[in-house]
Amino acid sequence: MKHHDLIFSGAHVVSGGVTQLIDLAIQGEKISALGATGTLGSAKKIYDVTGKYIIPGAIDVHVHFREPGYSYKEDWHTGTQAAAMGGVTTIFEMPNTSPPTRSTVELSEKKALAKKACVDFGIYGLLGEDNLDELDGLISEGANAFKCFMGNTFGNLPSPSTGAMLEGFEKIAQTGLRISLHAETASIMALRQKKLEEAGKNAPLHHLDARPEVVAIEAVSRAAVLAEWTGARIHVLHISSAGELRPLNEAKVRGVDITGETCPCYLYLDTSDYKRLGSIIRVNPPVRTKGDSEEIWKALNNGTIDMISTDHAPHTAAEKMKRNIWEADCGFPGVETQMPLMLTAVNNGKISLEHYVKVSSENPARAFGLWPQKGIISVGAHADITVVDMQKKEIIKAANLHSRGKITPFENFETTGAPIHTVVRGRFVQRDRQICKNSKGHGKQVTDIQKMPPARPINSEHAIEHVLKK
């Protein structure tokens, strides 16, 4: 019989919408066998995980690890440690660092910093107004996706004009790489916030007044039209409102290659939490009403929203705790708490475990070109697995987070269900709720496995580069 490196025995294995009571074997970096208990042969180490669940490691396509420029908030080691503790085996890191990842120079610097990562990763390049001539270099040097800030957020990167977005979409569509969108309309928000500040309106809920759901509805609609015309693949980040679900779904019906995500804060929090949390709750886009939360839950379960991510965005407590809401930094840590929060939702009947696996791992892997090496438990796939104890109770404490960001709106939240082991390409990076000492530097960029077939621009004869060559 075959000899493996590791065997996990007695677990319920969840993948592809099915739960099976089987053993799982790992050889090297890959899953080498699946089968009935006791049938897989021998191994250097056998772990009895009877009564536990094994799921594909979560893939979080939306994190901010702050390095370079803001490493006092987070760096690639602390951020990926937090990911490992949260059952996350792959992350995609955003470009609004200092300097932003706008050219091959910054991309090379970020790759060097990422060498201390504990989990696998992708790196976003920036799609902005002034770096259209840098896109080809970013693509050739291994950017795994692109980020377009249609609305302002941390780093105050200028939002590109619709003309620059169109040209960027035309270029990137030819590669098939996905473009993730902070889909809020900058001009609406800027004008409203200016008037609110001038009127002395600076309470937490005034942040919501500056960013009504129309900013998301307009931005999603506009981006979907550009994607439809160019053939670009796009992803709508941090869906916060019921209103933007309509243009998202309509674009899908029209055949646009568009995906969407939401985050736990939009599922668990609403306007009733602003008084309790104060400036801690400030995030872009803002937490909205209970009705919005209910509709987002429905959309996550019915497939309108494709995935769960976190927008992990750590800051210091001093940067978050402000009397004037306009002075408080936006965002909070999330990569470590997402899975416990969502497993609690599974236990509470809000979502099935099989569907959680789909939105946390399978769908991100498919949308960002990592399937079938990641996002699935299958022989030959990467051994990226998370062992889950569905009965383990914990209390979220910011002081215990592995992120440098020690402030969270989920402080003292009681969770049921936790990732007790995290394995990335066959190696434990978190075991028994402790970071493994040899995890630093194990993470690899996903460029070698990423497959994103070119999406030929639908109106390629009208693309500006083609017109200029006539």
Side-chain angles (χ1 to χ4, degrees):
M1 298 183 75
K2 189 170 181 180
H3 186 70
H4 308 276
D5 290 334
L6 296 173
I7 290 178
F8 290 91
S9 179
H12 300 273
V13 176
V14 186
S15 185
V18 177
T19 300
Q20 304 176 79
L21 182 58
I22 54 175
D23 286 2
L24 181 153
I26 295 171
Q27 182 68 35
E29 295 190 342
K30 297 183 177 181
I31 297 170
S32 52
L34 297 165
T37 299
T39 66
L40 300 188
S42 61
K44 296 175 185 176
K45 180 68 175 178
I46 297 177
Y47 288 88
D48 184 352
V49 286
T50 300
K52 307 302 188 290
Y53 290 78
I54 294 177
I55 65 176
I59 299 172
D60 190 340
V61 299
H62 189 176
V63 303
H64 301 266
F65 285 165
R66 305 303 192 199
E67 194 178 27
Y70 309 104
S71 59
Y72 71 94
K73 297 174 186 278
E74 194 77 288
D75 65 32
W76 275 86
H77 185 219
T78 58
T80 54
Q81 278 191 325
M85 284 299 298
V88 177
T89 53
T90 304
I91 58 88
F92 275 51
E93 204 271 341
M94 289 293 174
N96 56 328
T97 44
S98 181
T101 317
R102 65 178 306 278
S103 75
T104 57
V105 173
E106 292 86 19
L107 179 60
S108 294
E109 180 181 2
K110 189 162 282 190
K111 284 181 178 181
L113 293 168
K115 288 181 179 179
K116 52 181 175 277
C118 302
V119 304
D120 286 354
F121 59 91
I123 298 176
Y124 278 94
L126 178 69
L127 167 53
E129 181 77 23
D130 299 324
N131 76 323
L132 295 175
D133 59 346
E134 303 283 356
L135 297 182
D136 288 338
L138 285 166
I139 291 163
S140 65
E141 291 302 311
N144 300 104
F146 283 86
K147 172 71 175 285
C148 177
F149 291 92
M150 299 176 73
N152 68 296
T153 188
F154 180 81
N156 291 320
L157 296 177
S159 300
S161 64
T162 304
M165 284 180 61
L166 178 63
E167 187 169 337
F169 279 26
E170 288 173 343
K171 284 176 173 283
I172 298 167
Q174 298 173 45
T175 72
L177 293 174
R178 198 165 291 272
I179 304 163
S180 291
L181 305 160
H182 183 121
E184 294 184 290
T185 302
S187 59
I188 299 175
M189 298 186 296
L191 184 60
R192 291 177 71 93
Q193 181 174 330
K194 182 174 183 291
K195 291 189 173 183
L196 286 163
E197 288 193 77
E198 289 174 348
K201 305 292 187 181
N202 57 17
L205 275 168
H206 291 131
H207 177 59
L208 179 58
D209 292 331
R211 304 169 99 106
E213 68 172 354
V214 68
V215 302
I217 296 169
E218 194 280 336
V220 173
S221 302
R222 176 159 46 99
V225 168
L226 299 182
E228 185 175 23
W229 201 79
T230 61
R233 296 187 172 101
I234 60 173
H235 177 62
V236 181
L237 299 164
H238 41 44
I239 292 170
S240 66
S241 69
E244 65 199 284
L245 297 172
R246 178 176 56 81
L248 174 68
N249 190 58
E250 288 175 350
K252 290 186 175 191
V253 171
R254 298 199 308 270
V256 178
D257 194 334
I258 183 172
T259 53
E261 71 176 36
T262 194
C263 309
C265 61
Y266 305 116
L267 297 169
Y268 273 96
L269 304 175
D270 57 57
T271 46
S272 67
D273 294 295
Y274 275 69
K275 184 176 181 180
R276 174 177 63 87
L277 292 170
S279 59
I280 294 172
I281 203 172
R282 191 183 187 201
V283 62
N284 296 326
V287 168
R288 301 186 185 277
T289 69
K290 183 68 173 176
D292 287 297
S293 175
E294 291 171 349
E295 290 302 312
I296 291 169
W297 267 116
K298 291 177 186 177
L300 185 64
N301 275 303
N302 68 26
T304 302
I305 294 176
D306 302 270
M307 61 192 83
I308 186 87
S309 296
T310 66
D311 193 8
H312 174 85
H315 303 284
T316 67
E319 291 167 335
K320 286 294 294 180
M321 302 296 290
K322 301 285 188 179
R323 292 179 63 86
N324 184 333
I325 195 61
W326 310 117
E327 297 175 359
D329 278 355
C330 298
F332 30 75
V335 74
E336 187 168 345
T337 56
Q338 177 267 119
M339 188 173 289
L341 288 167
M342 294 305 294
L343 294 178
T344 301
V346 171
N347 280 313
N348 291 337
K350 297 284 288 184
I351 188 172
S352 71
L353 183 57
E354 291 81 6
H355 194 63
Y356 169 66
V357 167
K358 185 174 184 178
V359 299
S360 67
S361 190
E362 178 180 334
N363 285 353
R366 289 183 181 274
F368 285 82
L370 309 182
W371 182 272
Q373 284 78 19
K374 296 184 182 293
I376 186 173
I377 293 177
S378 175
V379 174
H382 282 183
D384 291 355
I385 65 169
T386 302
V387 181
V388 168
D389 183 343
M390 289 299 297
Q391 304 307 314
K392 187 171 180 59
K393 294 184 181 296
E394 294 183 336
I395 298 176
I396 294 174
K397 294 284 188 181
N400 298 333
L401 296 178
H402 289 70
S403 169
R404 285 195 173 137
K406 302 299 185 184
I407 193 163
T408 170
F410 296 107
E411 183 75 19
N412 294 321
F413 194 95
E414 297 181 4
T415 59
T416 304
I420 58 172
H421 308 306
T422 307
V423 177
V424 175
R425 284 179 291 100
R427 181 188 293 181
F428 280 94
V429 292
Q430 181 257 121
R431 181 160 38 196
D432 296 321
R433 303 299 285 144
Q434 298 290 325
I435 291 293
C436 297
K437 291 182 180 179
N438 66 347
S439 63
K440 186 175 182 180
H442 178 61
K444 291 182 180 178
Q445 192 174 2
V446 296
T447 309
D448 289 346
I449 65 165
Q450 192 177 30
K451 292 182 174 62
M452 299 293 283
R456 178 176 170 80
I458 295 170
N459 289 282
S460 57
E461 70 274 15
H462 299 297
I464 187 63
E465 287 190 347
H466 178 79
V467 172
L468 290 172
K469 291 175 182 177
K470 287 183 179 178

